[in-house]
Amino acid sequence: METILFLAHTEADGGLAKATLEALEAARALGGVLIAGLVGASVEAAANSIAGCGASKILGVAGEAFGESRYSTDAAAAEAIAQAANATVIVAAHTSRWARALPGVAQRLGAAVDTHVAALSADLKATRWYYRQRIEGVIERAARPRVILLDSGCAPAYAGAPGAAAVELVNVEITPALQRTRVIGKQAPKAEQQTIRPDAAILFVAGAGWTKKQKDGQTHVADAGKLILDFIGSANSSLGSSKSLVDLSGEGQAVLPFLSHLNQVGQTGSTPRHPKGLATCCHGEEPHVVGWRFIKERRAVNLDANCGWARGKADVLYVADAFAVIAKVNELLKAKS
Amino acid sequence: MEERPSMEVDIVCVGFGPAMGGFLTTLTPALAEFPEAPQVICYERADGVGFGVSGVVTRARGIRQSFPDLDVSQIPMAATVKQEKVLYLLDPVGASRRSKPVKALDAALRTAGHSDRFAVELPYTPEFLHKTNGLILSIGQFNQWVSEQLMMTGMVQVWPGMPVAEPLIEDDAVTGVRLADQGGMPGMDIRAKLTVVGDGPVGPVGRKIDEVLGTPPGFERNEWAVGSKMVIELPDGVDLEPGFVLHTMGYPEPEIFGFFYVHPDRLASAGIFVPSWFDNPVRTSYRYLQHFIQHPYMEQFVKGGRLRSWGAKSLMESGRRGEPFLCGHGYARIGEGSGSTNVLTGSGVDEAWTTGIQLAEGVIELLREKAPFTRDNLDRAYVTRRRSSWIETEGRAAEHARNGFQKGFIRGLVGMGLAGVTKGNIVVHAEVKPTHERVGTIEDYFSDRIPREEIAKIREQAKADGTPLHDLLMDRSGWPPIEYDGQLLVTHQDALLMGGKVQASGGFEDHVRFLRQELCEDCVTQICVEVCSGEAIAPNKDGGNVPVFDKEKCVHCGACMWNCAHAVDASGRTNIEFAAGGGGLHSAEN
Amino acid sequence: MANSYQVVVCGGIVPDPLQTLEPVAGPAGPALKNEMMLPAVLDPWAGHALYEAAALARKFPGSKVYLVSLAPKAKLQQVMMTIAQRVPLELVALDGPGGGFTDSAETAAALAGAIQGIAGLDRSKLLLFGGWESASRGAGSTMQMVAERLGIVDQFQGVDELQIGEDGSLRILERVEGGQHQVSVCDAPPALLGWATGNLGEPANNAQVGMQNMRTIMPSLQKAKPTQLKSGIAFASVALPKLQRETRIVKDASVDEIAKEIADWAAAE
Ligand SMILES: Cc1cc2nc3c(=O)[nH]c(=O)nc-3n(C[C@H](O)[C@H](O)[C@H](O)COP(=O)(O)OP(=O)(O)OC[C@H]3O[C@@H](n4cnc5c(N)ncnc54)[C@H](O)[C@@H]3O)c2cc1C
Ligand SMILES: Cc1cc2nc3c(=O)[nH]c(=O)nc-3n(C[C@H](O)[C@H](O)[C@H](O)COP(=O)(O)OP(=O)(O)OC[C@H]3O[C@@H](n4cnc5c(N)ncnc54)[C@H](O)[C@@H]3O)c2cc1C
Ligand code: SF4
Ligand code: SF4
């Protein structure tokens, strides 16, 4: 029987993120002996929140230094917990923090590691994407220990009632070598407005067409910017972009100042998860659309009836002028709210 | 701009096509024998050395000479020719424009009984067309393979993504080349004892040399074709043997020749040539190619298949008549740009390769003699070799083989047959006119099918949409609209994105320029827009009539250069300047 | 600021993103159809790492950039002809499988071995760069394992910016959740930076850089160590996703109709 270690780090508020609870649920579904391992500035609150998860024990590494997202301390903590748990399988959420730390921990443990796992079966077959979401592979490994990082949105979140949990603290000595890096804090990109919202219901993608000359032979970049931001404001959506558009913005052109490379969706951009996606003025080329792999319902507005979206990449393509359509949509959405 | 850097090498080479492949493959092994091996460097403008749209069939005489132990399976997509057919295609849709003699021929063939696929197989392939023991190649893959062999020797460098802007000419000598400026950085001057020009049919370096140093008497480059082709993954159930070669004529228009070659791994190349002597001013090769592959005969092979890549390239059909001075002080010309292509046999690769071998043999001879690369020395060591070889005899035989086409398709066929059979002793004589002298107005060409007023409306619509006229006019004159399926039949723009890179490396100036804007302002036929293989030249919808050029879409086929409605001077130079530029590598499978 | 750096960039090659990819069963597990024929490019994020490395090296004279790459030799040679014109570098080539279906741990072992073999490497100047994920395997795990093998515990992933402080410290922006950056400061090298997009464009081709690089690139390719990777991964299946949706194309509807449909759809739960 496998010994499953569910490994989690706390968030700034001491709780656990949704993605983390999803990983917990996935770990629980595996059967076997479940051990939970928590890393954070303090781990009691988090431990209590999963008190009913069925873990045979909860191990913890706690302390100020472990409240930060930092490779050296995260790796040391995870390594110590894994050693203490003597687990055969380690399941964690693919958060930026664990994605950074756990592959190195696997190296230390002599473990195999599978990241960006999109589905995990009870017999430990992991589904993951290759070639930027173009090829789907289902993989197995005989090697143990095995570290598995589960992408967010791929499992239901654990929703058990909180309780009082006992945490077995594991001691990790903080040497100067672990503290060569200081975490200063977080900063939003150099943008006027925070436009990326992972939890939003809709991904609104703006393509380069917004900056192109329109029917009247003129560009209407200011209007475009306003229409886009209005939509983002009124429709609980996250803003994505094609590469062409952010590249334009990058070349010192005063094109849509609120966009940065962080907004880019696609091959060399992100692959966000949202229930819906609306592409506007974007041609729907393959390197862009691979970033839509995890967008369930897809619609597009484009002047070109033969654009990429037309061919099986969207559920609905509206052949129309996005300037006119989005202006009207914004009006309607305002009226609704 | 910063100061222009410069560098010295022994031999600088322009362009990496088959000609340069032959040159460097022959030269490289000999370099080691010199105590100080001469430094040889080659610049190719495309982003990879796999540029060159054509799945080709070639007799490969020169290529086999260079690789006596050639293992064909080592070259991706290469196959040995197994079976050859020549087909006459009838018009299944009734939109093709067929002259009286062509109609008569059609009728005769129909009554004589043709297959139900609207095609008649020629009872035999004329000897001069045979490619027995030849090779089917993807020039892209072949070039890559050759460059790999070369680079791994460490004796030469072949740099892609480096357009050569122009030759450096001092008095009557070429002293090297200047690389194109990029991103505000001045291109480097590469000074060399010998400059080898192999920049193909439309290369700007060869043309500049002709312009400055002159051309031999009788020199003429009025005959061209733009070839457009696809690599297709054959559908399940179609099991054609690799090495199968098909040449077609008669459809989509009588003037348009087609070909179909089968590579290994269920891949095939299908393509057409739209020649300069085709009178239709809205000469879109892409649309015609789509009709070609939908001909019932072709359809049996490709329907249900998948387009893997697409490309276009010019073919200099003047051949031997377009031969420039083959060498001069400090330089030599090889390949299609040196007039080596044989239009009678439809063959340019092996000819180009062989001119490369010949130059290399000459260069090795001169290096051994420690003789400088003067005109006389190069003439003795290179040109003499070429003159006494099959390149010259066959090139001469082909010289006027296709003149007949100037007077119509049937005359052309007869002339070509005669020239082929008599090895060029009998030819149909005709003056070869450049496009701008041949092609009339759109209104005249379509006068029998579309009323003028309607053409005027179509013009308005296209102008407003910023699209060329060809699709609208073809739709209106009976060509069935293309049913895009996203697999084999895709929009022109999607084809640009298939199977290759489209992003041109940034920073280069526009390499297509409209020289005298006032000519474009008044130009009603705008052949440049209609012919453009990449939809890179588009009508101006923002006021004015000078077309707009988008270098991101240009595939460097060079067709715009010889498809302008106006000449700017007596030399016949058109109003389009086709300069050196980067990008345009669409697929290395082509 | 008299410091100089040894920047070791790990970068593989991947098929040009516009290629159509299809998996096939190869002798050593899954592979791409026509893998050797597909035009290849430097892995985009590793490319950003390389350009950042070059910019850093320019800023701190005396610095040096190494590019360590594991790929089939012939493909690597093709890609190098483009890369080598852009950035002065010394290539450390490994001749082996470069595809996405290999195990990152194996790749990491090979890369780390190659890095350890670089003569004169000085840990106090060492910056290990790579892409934060490859465009082939997309795992984002290789670089951490390389760094572990080299004993580097200051690691950063999804890096968009590196600034060197007056005191030689490294100020680093990493991508974290919610479209934000985490700011960290690391005292000094050695450190690993897995780059995301960064801030630099592709440098222009430079003939002189190319000529210089060739002195080391061809010899490195010629003696590239044949590298085998054993894989602990068993693939139960490898397949293309069901790509095609049934697209409904709404063509001649009015703006109002379309807007209403979109607004209703957007507002629906
Ligand atoms: C190595 C590499 C990596 C890449 N990675 C990515 C990536 O990660 N993400 C990405 O997005 N791309 C990527 N690309 C680029 C990709 O190939 C395309 O170039 C890009 O996605 C095109 O962006 P676009 O559709 O916004 O622009 P365009 O192709 O310019 O399309 C603009 C569209 O707007 C439409 N339009 C214009 N005006 C209107 C209007 N008024 N109303 C409605 N529609 C209108 C036009 O019809 C057109 O379809 C990559 C390319 C390469 C080579
Ligand atoms: C559609 C089509 C089908 C064909 N089919 C056949 C066939 O079946 N059999 C056959 O034998 N022949 C065929 N040909 C002809 C054959 O492709 C050419 O004759 C042959 O490629 C000529 O070789 P080359 O080396 O002279 O020139 P090219 O192949 O044209 O090579 C010239 C190279 O120089 C580069 N270059 C140009 N300008 C510059 C510059 N300024 N700086 C740097 N580099 C530059 C170009 O990018 C190119 O790579 C076909 C041609 C076409 C268009
Ligand atoms: S380039 Fe030539 S064909 Fe094109 S618009 Fe100008 S004059 Fe006319
Ligand atoms: S602009 Fe480019 S693609 Fe268009 S015809 Fe000219 S060379 Fe060919």
Side-chain angles (χ1 to χ4, degrees), chain B residues 13-21 42-46 48-60 131 135 137 139 143 159 162-166 178-179 197-207 225-229 247 259 261 271-273 311-316 334-338 340-342 345-353 355 556 578-581 583:
Chain B
C13 308
V14 183
F16 190 83
M20 203 57 77
C42 174
Y43 294 109
E44 163 57 47
R45 48 144 236 91
V49 291
F51 179 85
V53 338
S54 59
V56 300
V57 58
T58 167
R59 284 179 69 180
K131 301 288 192 295
L135 296 175
L137 295 170
I139 281 297
N143 281 349
W159 291 109
M162 266 295 170
V164 174
E166 56 183 355
R178 172 164 295 175
L179 303 179
V197 183
D199 57 356
V202 295
V205 179
R207 279 185 286 119
V226 57
S228 182
K229 68 152 269 234
H247 288 280
F259 60 86
Y261 310 141
I272 54 154
F273 288 98
K313 183 182 195 311
S314 284
L315 188 69
M316 209 252 290
I334 54 176
E336 189 159 313
S338 75
S340 60
T341 292
N342 187 318
T345 57
S347 171
V349 169
D350 206 28
E351 285 72 8
W353 182 276
T355 60
H556 291 260
F578 184 66

Side-chain angles (χ1 to χ4, degrees), chain B residues 170-396:
Chain B
E170 288 166 31
D171 300 326
D172 59 348
V174 173
T175 57
V177 296
R178 172 164 295 175
L179 303 179
D181 302 341
Q182 190 186 11
M185 292 237 307
M188 197 182 290
D189 281 349
I190 314 287
R191 305 210 161 258
K193 298 187 184 76
L194 175 66
T195 300
V196 179
V197 183
D199 57 356
V202 295
V205 179
R207 279 185 286 119
K208 185 77 183 181
I209 290 178
D210 292 342
E211 195 187 309
V212 179
L213 300 180
T215 49
F219 171 89
E220 168 269 296
R221 291 190 173 184
N222 288 340
E223 205 178 333
W224 294 89
V226 57
S228 182
K229 68 152 269 234
M230 296 171 167
V231 174
I232 298 171
E233 199 172 310
L234 295 173
D236 289 339
V238 173
D239 293 304
L240 291 169
E241 185 189 23
F244 176 66
V245 173
L246 200 71
H247 288 280
T248 74
M249 58 184 111
Y251 184 83
E253 302 282 7
E255 292 86 346
I256 295 177
F257 289 74
F259 60 86
F260 182 74
Y261 310 141
V262 180
H263 303 278
D265 299 325
R266 310 190 55 74
L267 295 179
S269 293
I272 54 154
F273 288 98
V274 174
S276 51
W277 43 272
F278 177 37
D279 285 326
N280 186 352
V282 296
R283 29 175 79 182
T284 154
S285 62
Y286 186 69
R287 174 83 186 253
Y288 278 124
L289 176 57
Q290 291 187 315
H291 289 299
F292 172 65
I293 59 168
Q294 291 184 88
H295 185 280
Y297 192 89
M298 302 309 301
E299 207 168 35
Q300 65 177 326
F301 302 135
V302 301
K303 191 176 180 157
R306 197 159 59 85
L307 176 60
R308 282 175 59 105
S309 60
W310 162 90
K313 183 182 195 311
S314 284
L315 188 69
M316 209 252 290
E317 296 206 320
S318 293
R320 177 69 175 75
R321 273 179 289 138
E323 185 186 284
F325 290 122
L326 292 177
C327 65
H329 292 310
Y331 80 94
R333 308 276 296 267
I334 54 176
E336 189 159 313
S338 75
S340 60
T341 292
N342 187 318
V343 281
L344 177 57
T345 57
S347 171
V349 169
D350 206 28
E351 285 72 8
W353 182 276
T354 303
T355 60
I357 298 182
Q358 291 165 343
L359 176 62
E361 288 171 350
V363 167
I364 295 167
E365 188 178 309
L366 295 177
L367 285 171
R368 285 185 183 143
E369 289 172 11
K370 298 202 173 65
F373 297 113
T374 59
R375 175 181 298 130
D376 287 349
N377 284 340
L378 286 164
D379 202 64
R380 158 170 68 87
Y382 164 47
V383 181
T384 312
R385 275 189 167 78
R386 184 159 161 174
R387 293 282 178 247
S388 62
S389 72
W390 59 270
I391 299 285
E392 178 73 7
T393 41
E394 293 181 13
R396 284 277 182 207

Side-chain angles (χ1 to χ4, degrees), chain A residues 321-332:
Chain A
D321 178 0
F323 280 86
V325 169
I326 298 303
K328 187 77 197 165
V329 168
N330 287 343
E331 247 174 60
L332 294 171

Side-chain angles (χ1 to χ4, degrees), chain A residues 69 71 96 115-116 131 134 136 138 140-141 180-182 184-185 187 194 276 296-297 314-315 317-318 336, chain C residues 17 100 103 133 136 139 148 154 177-178 181-183 185 188 234 236 239 245 247-248 250 261 264-265 268:
Chain A
S69 165
Y71 181 87
S96 63
T115 56
H116 280 304
Y131 292 94
R134 290 188 189 200
E136 190 180 43
V138 179
E140 299 171 278
R141 292 185 188 257
R180 288 176 6 112
T181 293
R182 279 163 292 134
I184 307 297
Q187 82 181 32
Q194 182 57 12
K276 297 176 200 171
K296 294 200 181 81
E297 293 174 33
D315 304 308
L317 166 67
Y318 301 98
K336 274 183 204 277
Chain C
D103 193 348
E133 284 178 5
S136 50
E148 275 292 328
D154 291 285
E177 280 77 9
H181 281 125
Q182 171 167 312
V183 189
V185 175
R245 291 163 182 248
T247 306
R248 173 164 66 92
V250 180
E261 207 178 297
D264 288 347
W265 169 73

